[in-house]
Amino acid sequence: MDLETPKQGGNYFCFFQHKHKWVGLKDRHPELYERAEHEEQARYRHIAMKGRNYAWSQGESLPELIERREEIEAKHQAALERAAKRIRPNRPLLEVLSCPPPTRRRIGPQPPPVTGGAAP
């Protein structure tokens, strides 16, 4: 089986895995997804606190998550687009160090101007 290494955590069955990663696992490695779903539904039910359900993803089981796949993929795509807009290109260190610091406008009351008199 040719598996790509997960980018975060190195674990396919991780509580902190993003929802879009579960959708991707189902698409690319359905056997691993089925195993995770089985673990969630059968194996861990008996150790969950009374009145609570065990789930890999907070707030919903894997089948519920997959039902929302289009919404999850759309949210993930929107997040990627927002992140791409924030990325600033790398600049050479010399350029960064030679630039004057940005001027900042002071908000609020301005201090009195400093006069050039001698100290008493």
Side-chain angles (χ1 to χ4, degrees):
M1 182 183 315
D2 183 27
L3 296 176
E4 61 191 54
T5 303
K7 296 207 180 342
Q8 294 176 335
N11 188 343
Y12 286 98
F13 304 143
C14 176
F15 295 105
F16 303 108
Q17 187 158 261
H18 296 268
K19 293 179 187 288
H20 74 275
K21 295 287 188 180
W22 285 112
V23 171
L25 186 67
K26 180 163 178 58
D27 292 344
R28 287 187 291 283
H29 304 291
E31 68 287 348
L32 288 175
Y33 172 84
E34 294 299 325
R35 183 172 154 202
E37 189 176 309
H38 177 266
E39 297 283 328
E40 179 183 79
Q41 292 180 352
R43 187 168 182 191
Y44 291 109
R45 288 279 175 200
H46 69 281
I47 62 171
M49 293 174 64
K50 263 191 179 172
R52 294 188 181 185
N53 289 328
Y54 169 87
W56 288 110
S57 182
Q58 184 176 2
E60 63 188 335
S61 67
L62 290 179
E64 291 168 336
L65 184 146
I66 294 301
E67 286 177 15
R68 294 187 322 105
R69 84 176 307 128
E70 288 179 12
E71 176 189 346
I72 290 167
E73 289 173 342
K75 283 183 177 181
H76 177 61
Q77 188 60 39
L80 289 176
E81 290 168 6
R82 282 191 310 273
K85 289 178 185 175
R86 288 191 305 260
I87 294 176
R88 297 187 336 200
N90 287 333
R91 296 178 7 203
L93 183 59
L94 183 59
E95 181 183 325
V96 172
L97 295 176
S98 64
C99 290
T103 57
R104 296 179 187 219
R105 218 175 88 209
R106 188 179 259 272
I107 299 175
Q110 300 295 318
V114 178
T115 58

